[in-house]
Amino acid sequence: MPPPDTLLHPYSSAIPLQPDSVFSSRFLDSVLQAIHPLSDPGTQGIRRSMLDQPRFIMAEWQMFGVVAIIIFLLFFMALIWPKLMARYTNKKIRHIVQEDLGHYHSQYDDWLCRFNPYYASLSPELKERFLHRTITFLHTKEFRFHSLSYEPYIPLLISGAAVQITFGLKNYLLDFFPVIHVIRKEYVLHMDKETYYGHVSPSGIYIAWNHFLDGYADYADAINVGLHEMAHAVSFDVFLGQCDHHDHAFRSRLEEFSEEGRPVFRAMRSGMSHLLDDYGATNFDEFWAVCVETFFEAPDTFKSQMPDLYLSIAELLNQDPLHAGHILDPELAGLA
Ligand SMILES: [Zn+2]
């Protein structure tokens, strides 16, 4: 207990006040009142009980409603809105593709027959599928031209190279790459001062147009920059694409290809001469791209010299250039 001549203020530490200093006591109370309005000793008990209760800016049921609305909006924006937008975009693209094919079908067919031997070898039914996919792919991409004027056959033929590789797969849009850059001829990158005929990076697919044309002009030399870059794009898309997921088994088939290809790749690295272009020894990504070029342009030799590796690529892409119908499993290709 404090001594009788000592006043203890409830919000202060022990402050000794003299009994005759009434002014000092009232002054202290007024100061504390200003600092905290609930410090009035007279109403302290009532106000303390008010303080003990939680204070909300709205009623509990209103807060519950607001939280429920916020949760619904988050759910809607994360899951439902993207699907609605994708459905709307797909419908719009389908309409554009139908119109485009309605107007220019014979022109597109003619260009692809002249420049793409793979397309030319397809049955009429598969040509329709190829053309439809090519025009759809074309309309989902932005083509940027560098030192080169736009010509309608350029995006068509480049889209055809992508569709060729993914022809046995359900999904073929390579959604990870919305932009394709077409450069008039080979170019030098600042990062390594090397000359490129094409490359793939998160900013897009880059293709030197003159080398693209050369690749298809000689369709037996196993050198095709269009197929090469699209092979890189497919492997990028499988692991990084968000919307256009490939079938789940594609990744495991890609790993099977890796197992089959590693010994060949190591042999190339050790300097053994090989059917595959030496550039494939640069790293395993380049090995994959070079294998794809050889698979399409020299399938006979590839199959006879490395049947297991050839078969693993055929199974991976679900197509065989030596097979009359090209596609191996119609269901996997989305045909069944
Ligand atoms: Zn490459």
Side-chain angles (χ1 to χ4, degrees):
M1 289 287 290
D5 59 348
T6 305
L7 293 178
L8 279 181
H9 194 281
Y11 287 88
S12 71
S13 56
I15 303 171
L17 292 175
Q18 297 304 316
D20 57 346
S21 60
V22 177
F23 176 77
S24 303
S25 173
R26 286 182 179 166
F27 175 73
L28 185 59
D29 270 344
S30 67
V31 170
L32 289 169
Q33 182 71 20
I35 296 170
H36 198 301
L38 294 177
S39 61
D40 178 3
T43 56
Q44 184 188 336
I46 299 167
R47 290 178 178 174
R48 261 181 174 280
S49 66
M50 289 170 66
L51 260 185
D52 291 341
Q53 292 179 358
R55 299 170 68 191
F56 302 111
I57 55 172
M58 59 182 77
E60 280 183 40
W61 68 269
Q62 287 175 318
M63 288 188 66
F64 177 78
V66 169
V67 170
I69 289 169
I70 291 172
I71 291 173
F72 173 76
L73 284 175
L74 289 173
F75 174 78
F76 181 81
M77 293 305 290
L79 298 175
I80 300 176
W81 181 250
K83 284 183 182 170
L84 288 176
M85 283 306 293
R87 194 175 297 173
Y88 171 75
T89 308
N90 288 342
K91 195 176 171 187
K92 198 173 156 189
I93 288 174
R94 273 201 302 274
H95 179 71
I96 293 170
V97 169
Q98 288 304 335
E99 279 208 333
D100 204 359
L101 281 173
H103 287 109
Y104 304 108
H105 185 285
S106 59
Q107 176 67 84
Y108 292 156
D109 176 60
D110 180 51
W111 281 332
L112 283 168
C113 276
R114 279 165 51 203
F115 289 102
N116 188 322
Y118 178 92
Y119 175 81
S121 72
L122 295 174
S123 66
E125 188 188 336
L126 288 179
K127 271 184 183 160
E128 280 306 309
R129 171 187 160 91
F130 190 102
L131 197 48
H132 194 277
R133 280 191 165 203
T134 301
I135 301 303
T136 307
F137 183 93
L138 184 156
H139 284 293
T140 61
K141 306 295 173 196
E142 179 193 346
F143 286 83
R144 295 184 192 165
F145 297 87
H146 305 272
S147 307
L148 183 72
S149 300
Y150 164 80
E151 294 289 347
Y153 56 83
I154 298 177
L156 178 84
L157 297 180
I158 291 176
S159 300
V163 168
Q164 181 174 340
I165 293 185
T166 55
F167 201 50
L169 306 173
K170 269 185 192 160
N171 297 318
Y172 59 96
L173 293 178
L174 305 180
D175 70 289
F176 186 72
F177 300 99
V179 180
I180 296 179
H181 299 266
V182 191
I183 305 102
R184 187 170 63 88
K185 60 176 191 169
E186 64 276 8
Y187 51 94
V188 176
L189 286 185
H190 292 299
M191 63 176 186
D192 55 8
K193 309 293 181 210
E194 293 283 339
T195 300
Y196 284 81
Y197 294 176
H199 76 283
V200 167
S201 82
S203 63
I205 300 168
Y206 294 76
I207 292 176
W209 178 240
N210 61 333
H211 292 286
F212 179 91
L213 286 176
D214 287 348
Y216 277 101
D218 185 348
Y219 199 68
D221 62 355
I223 294 173
N224 186 311
V225 70
L227 294 174
H228 183 105
E229 299 312 330
M230 291 306 171
H232 284 314
V234 166
S235 60
F236 259 67
D237 187 67
V238 166
F239 293 105
L240 301 173
Q242 294 297 315
C243 307
D244 182 24
H245 293 295
H246 286 263
D247 59 284
H248 293 300
F250 189 85
R251 284 191 189 195
S252 59
R253 298 205 303 276
L254 197 56
E255 279 155 20
E256 282 170 25
F257 161 77
S258 292
E259 279 179 30
E260 204 63 57
R262 289 280 171 194
V264 181
F265 173 66
R266 281 194 287 270
M268 287 179 77
R269 296 277 285 179
S270 67
M272 285 176 61
S273 65
H274 223 280
L275 163 72
L276 300 169
D277 189 273
D278 289 344
Y279 190 62
T282 309
N283 57 50
F284 201 73
D285 281 340
E286 297 305 341
F287 176 78
W288 152 244
V290 166
C291 278
V292 168
E293 289 177 86
T294 313
F295 176 77
F296 282 107
E297 292 212 351
D300 285 306
T301 321
F302 197 166
K303 191 173 184 180
S304 65
Q305 291 193 17
M306 290 175 284
D308 292 338
L309 187 59
Y310 181 87
L311 189 62
S312 73
I313 298 172
E315 285 177 352
L316 171 62
L317 298 178
N318 188 34
Q319 62 170 310
D320 185 348
L322 297 173
H323 187 270
H326 284 267
I327 291 171
L328 299 177
D329 180 348
E331 192 179 345
L332 202 58
L335 283 167

